[in-house]
Amino acid sequence: MGSLDFNLDIDNKHKTVNPLNADEFRRQGQMIIDFIADYYQNIEKYPVLSQVEPGYLQKRLPHSAPDNPESIETILQDVRKHILPGITHWQSPNYFAYFAASGSTASFLGEMLSTGFNIVGFNWLSSPAATELESIVMDWLGQVLQLPSCFLFSGSGGGVIQGTTCEAILCTLIAARDQMLRSIGKEKIGKLVVYASDQTHSALQKAAQIAGISLENFRTIKTNKSTFFSMSPDSLRVTIQSDIEKGLIPLFLCATIGTTSTTAVDPLRPLCDVAREYNIWVHVDAAYAGNACICPEFQHFLDGLEDANSFSLNAHKWLLTNLDCCCLWVKDPNALIKSLSTNPEYLKNKASDSAQVIDYKDWQIALSRRFRSLKLWLVLRSYGVRNLRTFLGRHVEMAKVFEGLVREDKMFEIVVPRNFAMVCFRIVPGAIEMGKDGVQMLPDREILANELNRRLLESINASGCIFMTHGMVGGVYFMRFAVGATLTEDHHVIMAWKVVREHANAILGMS
């Protein structure tokens, strides 16, 4: 049988197709599941970082789509032959780059259900279960995090699943902007100012540009090593006061729990104290580290959250829920709704008019939305909170092991203290002096050290054995070792350190 269930009308020379034939779906679906299962069984055989050159696929695939159907067997052969070489294997246990995108059987199955139902859940009426499950699951996760009740539907707030942090920040920034402009006048949008640290994710600047905030009014508060690169409330206050003296209007502050470069943690309570004085909306971005806060030992990082306006984390980063699943909670859902709602005639219905239901289309940028809550629901139910905490705790313990190995080696140093499951480290500036060639250090040790660490990271990643990425703070280039892949175990961490040492010795000319 071909790739779909075809019936041929020879006389009329027409082809009709049933794209949802149940028997064919069963057959092909089993093949896909087997293919993916085999992929995970053999994932360590692939180089973690794809080794292809730009434009490789254009040379391998036909220049036009086929006129006639091809079998799923043929297509999967091409996936194996042409697609797999161009994949960087984010699910590899040897993946330590960026922040991982953890996945799980429960999440995959939830995604299958969501895709299978293929609903477009823009309002309650379009699929009541999609809306109601999302509100329930967001309260479930909020309770596990011990969020203040003002962020939950069971309190006075509420939660919504966005695609990514970029969307969550944009939605809250737009809500803050419109809330401010309603009181001061739309013509003053050019005076609005957005605040962040120099470690804040670039998603905020992108959101500010989209929201019409002048690039000249985007403030980055400089951080330094003495505060472990967290934002200083005093520096924030000075910057705000300077802007007010210029006739500008403070609008929005993004604080971070677990920055991308170093997992630095901004002090929420004192930052919120400053923001409250000037009527500034505070969004807390905990995309990565917020997941760890389901564990009691990390919940103190959220102290002061009750004084913020919104909070988000990416369950698709570290909570076994595959992309995309950004959880956003807001104190005042009406602030989002006032800015993001539309009510065209073709969407009007009694349920919405009753104001007794949630229409999530008014909590996001797009109209259409997927049934994302299914996969988070399956994850929470299939593993339970206790096992999820254990899973996160194991990653933190593995990061501690790697950290210990770094500290034991005089050739390396920890650049910033570890907060969660990521270790920031580098070859020390004096390492070249340890090499057998006796190369003399240049006057600017840091420049040479940065180049040395850059070469080391490139060498490690080119090997395909492991994959890490880098960061740079205070002029210091370093490597980021982020534990977070679902399949990573202790022996992968030990092996990763051996790879680092071998490549370092090779670059330094040491035996």
Side-chain angles (χ1 to χ4, degrees):
M1 185 175 289
S3 62
L4 295 170
D5 179 35
F6 278 93
N7 296 311
L8 300 182
D9 185 340
I10 302 298
D11 293 334
N12 295 321
K13 296 181 180 179
H14 288 160
K15 294 181 179 180
T16 60
V17 60
N18 175 5
L20 285 176
N21 176 276
D23 290 336
E24 192 61 17
F25 174 71
R26 220 174 252 113
R27 185 185 78 86
Q28 295 189 37
Q30 187 60 59
M31 291 180 67
I32 294 291
I33 288 176
D34 288 343
F35 183 92
I36 295 173
D38 289 343
Y39 168 71
Y40 277 104
Q41 282 189 327
N42 296 291
I43 196 167
E44 289 188 69
K45 296 179 181 178
Y46 302 107
V48 187
L49 179 64
S50 173
Q51 305 294 300
V52 301
E53 297 294 329
Y56 91 100
L57 198 55
Q58 191 73 31
K59 301 173 183 177
R60 297 191 181 197
L61 297 186
H63 296 302
S64 58
D67 289 332
N68 297 312
E70 299 180 70
S71 70
I72 189 65
E73 291 86 352
T74 299
I75 296 169
L76 282 178
Q77 286 176 6
D78 282 352
V79 170
R80 185 177 291 108
K81 184 178 180 181
H82 302 306
I83 303 302
L84 280 179
I87 289 178
T88 290
H89 301 281
W90 284 65
Q91 304 308 313
S92 169
N94 298 312
Y95 181 98
F96 303 104
Y98 306 110
F99 290 125
S102 63
S104 64
T105 298
S107 182
F108 293 159
L109 297 178
E111 190 71 62
M112 287 177 65
L113 283 173
S114 175
T115 301
F117 292 140
N118 199 26
I119 64 134
V120 185
F122 41 77
N123 61 13
W124 180 88
L125 186 66
S126 64
S127 275
T131 294
E132 297 196 11
L133 182 63
E134 186 161 334
S135 62
I136 290 170
V137 166
M138 288 300 290
D139 263 17
W140 278 11
L141 184 54
Q143 290 162 4
V144 174
L145 289 160
Q146 294 193 8
L147 297 186
S149 61
C150 56
F151 284 102
L152 307 179
F153 286 110
S154 56
S156 54
V160 56
I161 300 178
Q162 305 276 357
T164 64
T165 298
C166 298
E167 297 169 47
I169 291 177
L170 178 57
C171 288
T172 54
L173 178 56
I174 288 173
R177 177 200 67 186
D178 291 352
Q179 184 173 270
M180 180 66 74
L181 293 179
R182 279 192 290 270
S183 64
I184 65 174
K186 293 182 179 180
E187 71 281 0
K188 294 184 179 180
I189 187 172
K191 293 182 176 294
L192 300 181
V193 186
V194 170
Y195 302 89
S197 86
D198 57 8
Q199 301 302 306
T200 302
H201 196 279
S202 62
L204 177 61
Q205 183 173 343
K206 186 171 186 176
Q209 292 172 199
I210 296 172
I213 306 300
S214 170
L215 186 59
E216 296 177 354
N217 291 353
F218 186 87
R219 302 285 182 266
T220 53
I221 310 300
K222 186 175 177 58
T223 60
N224 56 67
K225 191 172 184 178
S226 66
T227 59
F228 307 123
F229 300 101
S230 65
M231 193 188 313
S232 163
D234 291 337
S235 297
L236 173 64
R237 185 189 299 278
V238 169
T239 305
I240 291 172
Q241 290 175 343
S242 175
D243 284 333
I244 291 175
E245 291 172 3
K246 297 173 185 175
L248 300 175
I249 302 170
L251 172 69
F252 189 93
L253 168 67
C254 183
T256 306
I257 306 298
T259 59
T260 300
S261 290
T262 66
T263 68
V265 176
D266 291 334
L268 292 189
R269 194 177 301 282
L271 288 174
C272 287
D273 288 343
V274 173
R276 186 170 54 250
E277 292 180 32
Y278 301 98
N279 195 30
I280 296 173
W281 181 297
V282 179
H283 176 73
V284 178
D285 171 17
Y288 159 72
N291 295 283
C293 294
I294 71 168
C295 304
E297 63 267 32
F298 293 113
Q299 286 178 342
H300 68 277
F301 285 119
L302 300 182
D303 289 350
L305 183 61
E306 65 274 9
D307 295 322
N309 299 85
S310 50
F311 170 77
S312 63
L313 64 81
N314 289 347
H316 60 246
K317 273 190 165 63
W318 202 11
L319 204 61
L320 295 178
T321 308
N322 59 296
L323 196 72
D324 51 2
C325 187
C326 174
C327 301
L328 168 67
W329 289 268
V330 291
K331 266 186 178 177
D332 180 12
N334 285 327
L336 286 181
I337 294 168
K338 287 178 181 178
S339 291
L340 304 174
S341 66
T342 55
N343 192 29
E345 183 62 35
Y346 52 82
L347 293 183
K348 291 181 179 178
N349 62 86
K350 291 182 179 179
S352 296
D353 292 343
S354 73
Q356 295 180 346
V357 300
I358 299 167
D359 285 344
Y360 272 126
K361 69 179 180 62
D362 300 330
W363 294 52
Q364 63 176 30
I365 301 300
L367 171 64
S368 301
R369 63 194 330 269
R370 301 173 63 246
F371 201 164
R372 293 189 184 101
S373 59
L374 269 175
K375 56 190 173 186
L376 184 54
W377 187 51
L378 260 72
V379 167
L380 292 172
R381 293 189 62 189
S382 297
Y383 306 121
V385 175
R386 182 178 300 173
N387 282 332
L388 290 172
R389 286 171 173 159
T390 299
F391 168 76
L392 294 169
R394 284 287 300 119
H395 282 174
V396 173
E397 290 303 313
M398 284 187 272
K400 288 180 180 178
V401 169
F402 190 86
E403 179 186 31
L405 293 170
V406 174
R407 291 188 183 280
E408 290 173 3
D409 194 318
K410 294 181 179 180
M411 191 190 305
F412 293 87
E413 68 176 355
I414 301 295
V415 176
V416 293
R418 179 197 51 77
N419 284 322
F420 303 99
M422 188 177 81
V423 180
C424 300
F425 72 108
R426 67 167 181 164
I427 292 181
V428 296
I432 290 182
E433 296 169 346
M434 303 177 190
K436 65 181 182 182
D437 296 332
V439 178
Q440 296 298 312
M441 293 294 291
L442 295 176
D444 196 330
R445 296 163 60 91
E446 288 297 338
I447 292 177
L448 191 59
N450 285 350
E451 180 57 30
L452 178 64
N453 281 281
R454 185 178 291 107
R455 286 173 51 204
L456 174 58
L457 183 60
E458 289 174 355
S459 175
I460 290 169
N461 289 340
S463 74
C465 297
I466 64 174
F467 179 33
M468 297 185 296
T469 46
H470 77 279
M472 195 162 186
V473 291
V476 173
Y477 182 101
F478 59 90
M479 292 165 285
R480 300 165 69 260
F481 185 84
V483 182
T486 305
L487 297 174
T488 301
E489 297 179 358
D490 288 13
H491 66 91
H492 297 109
V493 172
I494 301 299
M495 183 276 290
W497 176 244
K498 290 180 179 178
V499 171
V500 171
R501 288 286 286 115
E502 288 171 3
H503 283 263
N505 286 339
I507 286 178
L508 292 170
M510 299 175 68
S511 57

